[in-house]
Amino acid sequence: MERDFEDIDRILNFAADAGRVMLKCGGEIYRVEETIQRLCMAFGVDNAEVFATPTTLLLSVYKNKKVYSVVKRISERSTDLNMMKEVNALSRTIAYKNMDIEECEKELEKISKKDNYSKLVITLGAGLVASTFSILFGGGLIDFLASFVAGILTKLLIDFLNDLKLNEFFVNIISAGFIAVLSIICFEIGIIKTMDYIIPGVIMLLVPGFALTNSIRDILDGQLVAGTAKLAEVLFIGTATAIGMALVLNWYLKGGFF
């Protein structure tokens, strides 16, 4: 049953904000557009047209033969599958329950400000990811421990650089170089016998695997602009990581950067 029509501006901004939260969390374009359309229809909008990219969200709705539009910029992106799931679940709840716009706005604000994990847990998780991959690549207990510490230090550096609002390209160059330096130090003082396990283990913290998967998924779904944009971002991140690692290792192995 279609509910009574409410303030179009609030509905428009609420739906766009929900989509922006999902894009910030790394959501697929098709899922973001589907969620926004579901929200608009739940509030009695005649039709909704959405165009989303990793950095921009455009939404136009039609009601009573009038068109209303809004544009949202997405300046920060990360990966938070739980928050994305909660926003998607909220959209489905709104579609089946008679929630007013004020209640919906409060729920969305609560979701967007929620910290599912503390900074300590995230940092320790980064160390565990790095150390686990070092084992997966063939390392032993010492490599596991060295990668765990290196992963924690790398995560702290990434957070510090992000707090400085540094460009993601340079964040990855510096972080990759930092990983190489830590590996060289551990090798030189005799903690590890080879850098073949600690480097690939810790470097996994910089690999944009989720973004790569989403870019391919979007391209296959026909979202060519968004998918290509994400793929370009993945290539830039990979290039930055390779540059940072190559500069330090080349300096260490050959005594110079070139």
Side-chain angles (χ1 to χ4, degrees):
M1 180 182 295
E2 183 177 300
R3 70 185 69 190
D4 293 334
F5 184 61
E6 300 181 61
D7 186 349
I8 186 63
D9 292 325
R10 295 183 70 179
I11 294 172
L12 192 64
N13 277 285
F14 168 73
D17 285 338
R20 180 164 61 177
V21 171
M22 294 185 72
L23 286 172
K24 284 184 177 181
C25 296
E28 305 99 313
I29 298 300
Y30 84 93
R31 191 185 303 276
V32 172
E33 293 182 349
E34 180 185 87
T35 298
I36 293 175
Q37 289 176 333
R38 185 186 301 118
L39 287 171
C40 291
M41 298 305 174
F43 282 102
V45 171
D46 294 335
N47 190 22
E49 296 290 343
V50 190
F51 178 76
T53 72
T55 58
T56 309
L57 175 63
L58 294 87
L59 169 61
S60 292
V61 298
Y62 302 82
K63 185 66 183 180
N64 297 331
K65 298 182 180 181
K66 292 184 178 180
V67 181
Y68 306 84
S69 300
V70 67
V71 178
K72 298 285 184 178
R73 287 281 296 171
I74 294 85
S75 56
E76 298 177 1
R77 295 180 301 280
S78 61
T79 301
D80 193 330
L81 298 180
N82 191 63
M83 185 177 293
M84 185 171 62
K85 180 200 72 174
E86 290 189 9
V87 175
N88 192 47
L90 175 62
S91 71
R92 296 181 184 277
T93 301
I94 293 172
Y96 291 107
K97 294 184 178 180
N98 191 23
M99 297 174 63
D100 58 45
I101 186 65
E102 184 175 357
E103 184 182 0
C104 295
E105 289 171 339
K106 290 180 179 178
E107 286 296 320
L108 180 61
E109 184 178 8
K110 187 187 303 181
I111 291 172
S112 61
K113 291 184 177 180
K114 184 185 297 184
D115 291 325
N116 295 300
Y117 303 101
S118 66
K119 188 173 182 179
L120 175 62
V121 171
I122 294 174
T123 304
L124 292 176
L128 186 60
V129 167
S131 56
T132 302
F133 271 109
S134 71
I135 294 294
L136 182 63
F137 290 126
L141 178 60
I142 299 301
D143 299 295
F144 178 90
L145 296 175
S147 298
F148 182 77
V149 175
I152 289 176
L153 294 176
T154 302
K155 177 59 178 174
L156 291 174
L157 175 65
I158 293 173
D159 289 343
F160 173 73
L161 295 176
N162 286 332
D163 289 340
L164 295 178
K165 305 298 182 182
L166 196 63
N167 183 278
E168 190 173 7
F169 185 80
F170 295 105
V171 170
N172 280 273
I173 289 179
I174 296 171
S175 299
F178 181 71
I179 292 171
V181 169
L182 290 178
S183 302
I184 292 170
I185 292 174
C186 290
F187 178 72
E188 286 294 328
I189 64 179
I191 295 178
I192 56 177
K193 296 180 179 181
T194 176
M195 295 184 287
D196 293 346
Y197 307 124
I198 183 173
I199 287 180
V202 184
I203 206 72
M204 293 302 291
L205 296 176
L206 305 179
V207 174
F210 186 67
L212 176 60
T213 302
N214 279 354
S215 68
I216 300 300
R217 174 67 178 82
D218 287 333
I219 290 174
L220 293 177
D221 194 55
Q223 302 283 355
L224 300 181
V225 175
T228 304
K230 280 188 178 181
L231 187 58
E233 181 182 18
V234 169
L235 293 176
F236 272 111
I237 293 174
T239 300
T241 303
I243 290 173
M245 185 66 65
L247 285 175
V248 175
L249 291 180
N250 202 54
W251 168 79
Y252 172 70
L253 296 174
K254 298 182 180 180
F257 289 113
F258 304 102

PDB file of all heavy atoms in Angstrom, residues 64-88:
ATOM      1  N   ASN A  64       4.021  13.768  -9.052  1.00  0.00           N
ATOM      2  CA  ASN A  64       3.008  14.714  -9.498  1.00  0.00           C
ATOM      3  C   ASN A  64       3.480  15.532 -10.706  1.00  0.00           C
ATOM      4  O   ASN A  64       3.318  16.753 -10.768  1.00  0.00           O
ATOM      5  CB  ASN A  64       2.607  15.656  -8.354  1.00  0.00           C
ATOM      6  CG  ASN A  64       1.980  14.901  -7.192  1.00  0.00           C
ATOM      7  OD1 ASN A  64       1.363  13.856  -7.371  1.00  0.00           O
ATOM      8  ND2 ASN A  64       2.157  15.432  -5.985  1.00  0.00           N
ATOM      9  N   LYS A  65       4.119  14.832 -11.643  1.00  0.00           N
ATOM     10  CA  LYS A  65       4.594  15.420 -12.899  1.00  0.00           C
ATOM     11  C   LYS A  65       5.670  16.469 -12.697  1.00  0.00           C
ATOM     12  O   LYS A  65       5.906  17.315 -13.568  1.00  0.00           O
ATOM     13  CB  LYS A  65       3.419  16.020 -13.679  1.00  0.00           C
ATOM     14  CG  LYS A  65       2.370  14.994 -14.092  1.00  0.00           C
ATOM     15  CD  LYS A  65       1.256  15.635 -14.905  1.00  0.00           C
ATOM     16  CE  LYS A  65       0.228  14.586 -15.312  1.00  0.00           C
ATOM     17  NZ  LYS A  65      -0.866  15.172 -16.124  1.00  0.00           N
ATOM     18  N   LYS A  66       6.353  16.422 -11.569  1.00  0.00           N
ATOM     19  CA  LYS A  66       7.481  17.321 -11.312  1.00  0.00           C
ATOM     20  C   LYS A  66       8.744  16.490 -11.076  1.00  0.00           C
ATOM     21  O   LYS A  66       8.677  15.364 -10.603  1.00  0.00           O
ATOM     22  CB  LYS A  66       7.209  18.218 -10.101  1.00  0.00           C
ATOM     23  CG  LYS A  66       6.100  19.236 -10.320  1.00  0.00           C
ATOM     24  CD  LYS A  66       5.951  20.142  -9.103  1.00  0.00           C
ATOM     25  CE  LYS A  66       4.862  21.190  -9.342  1.00  0.00           C
ATOM     26  NZ  LYS A  66       4.705  22.085  -8.170  1.00  0.00           N
ATOM     27  N   VAL A  67       9.885  17.091 -11.413  1.00  0.00           N
ATOM     28  CA  VAL A  67      11.168  16.406 -11.261  1.00  0.00           C
ATOM     29  C   VAL A  67      11.983  17.106 -10.167  1.00  0.00           C
ATOM     30  O   VAL A  67      12.110  18.327 -10.157  1.00  0.00           O
ATOM     31  CB  VAL A  67      11.970  16.413 -12.581  1.00  0.00           C
ATOM     32  CG1 VAL A  67      13.290  15.677 -12.398  1.00  0.00           C
ATOM     33  CG2 VAL A  67      11.156  15.788 -13.701  1.00  0.00           C
ATOM     34  N   TYR A  68      12.524  16.296  -9.255  1.00  0.00           N
ATOM     35  CA  TYR A  68      13.374  16.803  -8.181  1.00  0.00           C
ATOM     36  C   TYR A  68      14.703  16.043  -8.241  1.00  0.00           C
ATOM     37  O   TYR A  68      14.711  14.820  -8.403  1.00  0.00           O
ATOM     38  CB  TYR A  68      12.726  16.587  -6.817  1.00  0.00           C
ATOM     39  CG  TYR A  68      11.327  17.158  -6.701  1.00  0.00           C
ATOM     40  CD1 TYR A  68      10.219  16.431  -7.149  1.00  0.00           C
ATOM     41  CD2 TYR A  68      11.120  18.412  -6.149  1.00  0.00           C
ATOM     42  CE1 TYR A  68       8.936  16.946  -7.041  1.00  0.00           C
ATOM     43  CE2 TYR A  68       9.831  18.942  -6.040  1.00  0.00           C
ATOM     44  CZ  TYR A  68       8.747  18.205  -6.490  1.00  0.00           C
ATOM     45  OH  TYR A  68       7.484  18.712  -6.392  1.00  0.00           O
ATOM     46  N   SER A  69      15.805  16.772  -8.106  1.00  0.00           N
ATOM     47  CA  SER A  69      17.113  16.140  -8.254  1.00  0.00           C
ATOM     48  C   SER A  69      18.061  16.545  -7.132  1.00  0.00           C
ATOM     49  O   SER A  69      17.905  17.607  -6.521  1.00  0.00           O
ATOM     50  CB  SER A  69      17.753  16.511  -9.608  1.00  0.00           C
ATOM     51  OG  SER A  69      16.941  16.094 -10.685  1.00  0.00           O
ATOM     52  N   VAL A  70      19.051  15.690  -6.895  1.00  0.00           N
ATOM     53  CA  VAL A  70      20.094  15.983  -5.920  1.00  0.00           C
ATOM     54  C   VAL A  70      21.378  15.296  -6.369  1.00  0.00           C
ATOM     55  O   VAL A  70      21.338  14.245  -7.022  1.00  0.00           O
ATOM     56  CB  VAL A  70      19.688  15.491  -4.502  1.00  0.00           C
ATOM     57  CG1 VAL A  70      19.614  13.971  -4.453  1.00  0.00           C
ATOM     58  CG2 VAL A  70      20.676  16.003  -3.459  1.00  0.00           C
ATOM     59  N   VAL A  71      22.506  15.916  -6.042  1.00  0.00           N
ATOM     60  CA  VAL A  71      23.819  15.356  -6.366  1.00  0.00           C
ATOM     61  C   VAL A  71      24.621  15.239  -5.081  1.00  0.00           C
ATOM     62  O   VAL A  71      24.654  16.165  -4.273  1.00  0.00           O
ATOM     63  CB  VAL A  71      24.584  16.253  -7.371  1.00  0.00           C
ATOM     64  CG1 VAL A  71      25.973  15.670  -7.640  1.00  0.00           C
ATOM     65  CG2 VAL A  71      23.805  16.392  -8.656  1.00  0.00           C
ATOM     66  N   LYS A  72      25.245  14.094  -4.878  1.00  0.00           N
ATOM     67  CA  LYS A  72      26.063  13.862  -3.694  1.00  0.00           C
ATOM     68  C   LYS A  72      27.476  13.486  -4.130  1.00  0.00           C
ATOM     69  O   LYS A  72      27.654  12.676  -5.040  1.00  0.00           O
ATOM     70  CB  LYS A  72      25.487  12.732  -2.833  1.00  0.00           C
ATOM     71  CG  LYS A  72      24.095  13.001  -2.283  1.00  0.00           C
ATOM     72  CD  LYS A  72      24.124  13.996  -1.144  1.00  0.00           C
ATOM     73  CE  LYS A  72      22.736  14.173  -0.534  1.00  0.00           C
ATOM     74  NZ  LYS A  72      22.734  15.102   0.617  1.00  0.00           N
ATOM     75  N   ARG A  73      28.467  14.072  -3.466  1.00  0.00           N
ATOM     76  CA  ARG A  73      29.858  13.727  -3.735  1.00  0.00           C
ATOM     77  C   ARG A  73      30.338  12.706  -2.712  1.00  0.00           C
ATOM     78  O   ARG A  73      30.013  12.787  -1.527  1.00  0.00           O
ATOM     79  CB  ARG A  73      30.741  14.971  -3.652  1.00  0.00           C
ATOM     80  CG  ARG A  73      30.573  15.926  -4.816  1.00  0.00           C
ATOM     81  CD  ARG A  73      31.314  15.461  -6.045  1.00  0.00           C
ATOM     82  NE  ARG A  73      32.753  15.439  -5.830  1.00  0.00           N
ATOM     83  CZ  ARG A  73      33.618  14.905  -6.681  1.00  0.00           C
ATOM     84  NH1 ARG A  73      33.174  14.327  -7.780  1.00  0.00           N
ATOM     85  NH2 ARG A  73      34.908  14.939  -6.438  1.00  0.00           N
ATOM     86  N   ILE A  74      31.132  11.740  -3.157  1.00  0.00           N
ATOM     87  CA  ILE A  74      31.719  10.737  -2.261  1.00  0.00           C
ATOM     88  C   ILE A  74      33.222  10.957  -2.259  1.00  0.00           C
ATOM     89  O   ILE A  74      33.912  10.633  -3.237  1.00  0.00           O
ATOM     90  CB  ILE A  74      31.377   9.292  -2.697  1.00  0.00           C
ATOM     91  CG1 ILE A  74      29.883   9.032  -2.563  1.00  0.00           C
ATOM     92  CG2 ILE A  74      32.137   8.288  -1.839  1.00  0.00           C
ATOM     93  CD1 ILE A  74      29.049   9.457  -3.743  1.00  0.00           C
ATOM     94  N   SER A  75      33.728  11.545  -1.197  1.00  0.00           N
ATOM     95  CA  SER A  75      35.147  11.897  -1.134  1.00  0.00           C
ATOM     96  C   SER A  75      35.979  10.861  -0.386  1.00  0.00           C
ATOM     97  O   SER A  75      37.201  10.822  -0.544  1.00  0.00           O
ATOM     98  CB  SER A  75      35.321  13.268  -0.469  1.00  0.00           C
ATOM     99  OG  SER A  75      34.711  13.279   0.816  1.00  0.00           O
ATOM    100  N   GLU A  76      35.329  10.047   0.438  1.00  0.00           N
ATOM    101  CA  GLU A  76      36.055   9.034   1.202  1.00  0.00           C
ATOM    102  C   GLU A  76      35.447   7.666   0.928  1.00  0.00           C
ATOM    103  O   GLU A  76      34.236   7.505   0.898  1.00  0.00           O
ATOM    104  CB  GLU A  76      35.978   9.342   2.708  1.00  0.00           C
ATOM    105  CG  GLU A  76      36.604  10.667   3.102  1.00  0.00           C
ATOM    106  CD  GLU A  76      36.442  10.942   4.590  1.00  0.00           C
ATOM    107  OE1 GLU A  76      35.856  10.090   5.289  1.00  0.00           O
ATOM    108  OE2 GLU A  76      36.897  11.999   5.047  1.00  0.00           O
ATOM    109  N   ARG A  77      36.320   6.684   0.733  1.00  0.00           N
ATOM    110  CA  ARG A  77      35.858   5.326   0.476  1.00  0.00           C
ATOM    111  C   ARG A  77      36.684   4.339   1.289  1.00  0.00           C
ATOM    112  O   ARG A  77      37.889   4.504   1.437  1.00  0.00           O
ATOM    113  CB  ARG A  77      35.961   4.986  -1.021  1.00  0.00           C
ATOM    114  CG  ARG A  77      35.048   5.805  -1.890  1.00  0.00           C
ATOM    115  CD  ARG A  77      35.169   5.433  -3.357  1.00  0.00           C
ATOM    116  NE  ARG A  77      36.530   5.599  -3.865  1.00  0.00           N
ATOM    117  CZ  ARG A  77      37.038   6.777  -4.216  1.00  0.00           C
ATOM    118  NH1 ARG A  77      36.321   7.867  -4.106  1.00  0.00           N
ATOM    119  NH2 ARG A  77      38.264   6.861  -4.685  1.00  0.00           N
ATOM    120  N   SER A  78      36.004   3.338   1.798  1.00  0.00           N
ATOM    121  CA  SER A  78      36.677   2.286   2.564  1.00  0.00           C
ATOM    122  C   SER A  78      35.903   0.995   2.322  1.00  0.00           C
ATOM    123  O   SER A  78      35.102   0.900   1.393  1.00  0.00           O
ATOM    124  CB  SER A  78      36.722   2.648   4.052  1.00  0.00           C
ATOM    125  OG  SER A  78      35.413   2.784   4.571  1.00  0.00           O
ATOM    126  N   THR A  79      36.136   0.020   3.177  1.00  0.00           N
ATOM    127  CA  THR A  79      35.404  -1.241   3.075  1.00  0.00           C
ATOM    128  C   THR A  79      34.751  -1.546   4.414  1.00  0.00           C
ATOM    129  O   THR A  79      35.440  -1.702   5.419  1.00  0.00           O
ATOM    130  CB  THR A  79      36.350  -2.402   2.691  1.00  0.00           C
ATOM    131  OG1 THR A  79      36.972  -2.104   1.438  1.00  0.00           O
ATOM    132  CG2 THR A  79      35.565  -3.700   2.556  1.00  0.00           C
ATOM    133  N   ASP A  80      33.439  -1.580   4.440  1.00  0.00           N
ATOM    134  CA  ASP A  80      32.697  -1.898   5.660  1.00  0.00           C
ATOM    135  C   ASP A  80      31.443  -2.665   5.244  1.00  0.00           C
ATOM    136  O   ASP A  80      30.381  -2.086   5.034  1.00  0.00           O
ATOM    137  CB  ASP A  80      32.331  -0.630   6.430  1.00  0.00           C
ATOM    138  CG  ASP A  80      31.833  -0.926   7.841  1.00  0.00           C
ATOM    139  OD1 ASP A  80      31.249  -2.014   8.047  1.00  0.00           O
ATOM    140  OD2 ASP A  80      32.019  -0.074   8.732  1.00  0.00           O
ATOM    141  N   LEU A  81      31.596  -3.971   5.128  1.00  0.00           N
ATOM    142  CA  LEU A  81      30.495  -4.807   4.647  1.00  0.00           C
ATOM    143  C   LEU A  81      29.329  -4.822   5.622  1.00  0.00           C
ATOM    144  O   LEU A  81      28.166  -4.919   5.207  1.00  0.00           O
ATOM    145  CB  LEU A  81      30.998  -6.227   4.403  1.00  0.00           C
ATOM    146  CG  LEU A  81      32.093  -6.384   3.344  1.00  0.00           C
ATOM    147  CD1 LEU A  81      32.483  -7.851   3.203  1.00  0.00           C
ATOM    148  CD2 LEU A  81      31.650  -5.821   2.018  1.00  0.00           C
ATOM    149  N   ASN A  82      29.614  -4.728   6.914  1.00  0.00           N
ATOM    150  CA  ASN A  82      28.542  -4.779   7.899  1.00  0.00           C
ATOM    151  C   ASN A  82      27.650  -3.542   7.814  1.00  0.00           C
ATOM    152  O   ASN A  82      26.421  -3.643   7.864  1.00  0.00           O
ATOM    153  CB  ASN A  82      29.133  -4.906   9.308  1.00  0.00           C
ATOM    154  CG  ASN A  82      28.076  -5.230  10.345  1.00  0.00           C
ATOM    155  OD1 ASN A  82      27.440  -6.285  10.296  1.00  0.00           O
ATOM    156  ND2 ASN A  82      27.860  -4.321  11.284  1.00  0.00           N
ATOM    157  N   MET A  83      28.266  -2.365   7.681  1.00  0.00           N
ATOM    158  CA  MET A  83      27.475  -1.138   7.561  1.00  0.00           C
ATOM    159  C   MET A  83      26.660  -1.155   6.276  1.00  0.00           C
ATOM    160  O   MET A  83      25.488  -0.739   6.266  1.00  0.00           O
ATOM    161  CB  MET A  83      28.392   0.091   7.593  1.00  0.00           C
ATOM    162  CG  MET A  83      27.642   1.414   7.594  1.00  0.00           C
ATOM    163  SD  MET A  83      28.737   2.856   7.706  1.00  0.00           S
ATOM    164  CE  MET A  83      29.403   2.648   9.365  1.00  0.00           C
ATOM    165  N   MET A  84      27.249  -1.639   5.194  1.00  0.00           N
ATOM    166  CA  MET A  84      26.525  -1.736   3.935  1.00  0.00           C
ATOM    167  C   MET A  84      25.322  -2.667   4.076  1.00  0.00           C
ATOM    168  O   MET A  84      24.237  -2.389   3.572  1.00  0.00           O
ATOM    169  CB  MET A  84      27.470  -2.245   2.838  1.00  0.00           C
ATOM    170  CG  MET A  84      26.860  -2.270   1.455  1.00  0.00           C
ATOM    171  SD  MET A  84      28.093  -2.620   0.190  1.00  0.00           S
ATOM    172  CE  MET A  84      28.615  -4.271   0.690  1.00  0.00           C
ATOM    173  N   LYS A  85      25.519  -3.762   4.794  1.00  0.00           N
ATOM    174  CA  LYS A  85      24.430  -4.716   5.016  1.00  0.00           C
ATOM    175  C   LYS A  85      23.308  -4.079   5.825  1.00  0.00           C
ATOM    176  O   LYS A  85      22.118  -4.291   5.525  1.00  0.00           O
ATOM    177  CB  LYS A  85      24.965  -5.942   5.748  1.00  0.00           C
ATOM    178  CG  LYS A  85      23.919  -7.019   6.035  1.00  0.00           C
ATOM    179  CD  LYS A  85      24.368  -7.939   7.146  1.00  0.00           C
ATOM    180  CE  LYS A  85      24.303  -7.210   8.488  1.00  0.00           C
ATOM    181  NZ  LYS A  85      24.588  -8.099   9.633  1.00  0.00           N
ATOM    182  N   GLU A  86      23.657  -3.278   6.819  1.00  0.00           N
ATOM    183  CA  GLU A  86      22.645  -2.653   7.670  1.00  0.00           C
ATOM    184  C   GLU A  86      21.830  -1.609   6.905  1.00  0.00           C
ATOM    185  O   GLU A  86      20.616  -1.495   7.113  1.00  0.00           O
ATOM    186  CB  GLU A  86      23.315  -2.022   8.894  1.00  0.00           C
ATOM    187  CG  GLU A  86      23.877  -3.057   9.885  1.00  0.00           C
ATOM    188  CD  GLU A  86      24.333  -2.410  11.178  1.00  0.00           C
ATOM    189  OE1 GLU A  86      24.055  -1.207  11.364  1.00  0.00           O
ATOM    190  OE2 GLU A  86      24.959  -3.106  11.992  1.00  0.00           O
ATOM    191  N   VAL A  87      22.488  -0.851   6.033  1.00  0.00           N
ATOM    192  CA  VAL A  87      21.752   0.118   5.220  1.00  0.00           C
ATOM    193  C   VAL A  87      20.806  -0.601   4.268  1.00  0.00           C
ATOM    194  O   VAL A  87      19.644  -0.198   4.081  1.00  0.00           O
ATOM    195  CB  VAL A  87      22.721   1.020   4.425  1.00  0.00           C
ATOM    196  CG1 VAL A  87      21.945   1.938   3.480  1.00  0.00           C
ATOM    197  CG2 VAL A  87      23.583   1.843   5.368  1.00  0.00           C
ATOM    198  N   ASN A  88      21.271  -1.677   3.666  1.00  0.00           N
ATOM    199  CA  ASN A  88      20.435  -2.458   2.763  1.00  0.00           C
ATOM    200  C   ASN A  88      19.239  -3.056   3.512  1.00  0.00           C
ATOM    201  O   ASN A  88      18.106  -3.078   3.004  1.00  0.00           O
ATOM    202  CB  ASN A  88      21.271  -3.562   2.128  1.00  0.00           C
ATOM    203  CG  ASN A  88      20.553  -4.239   0.976  1.00  0.00           C
ATOM    204  OD1 ASN A  88      19.988  -3.589   0.107  1.00  0.00           O
ATOM    205  ND2 ASN A  88      20.559  -5.558   0.970  1.00  0.00           N
TER     206      ASN A  88
END
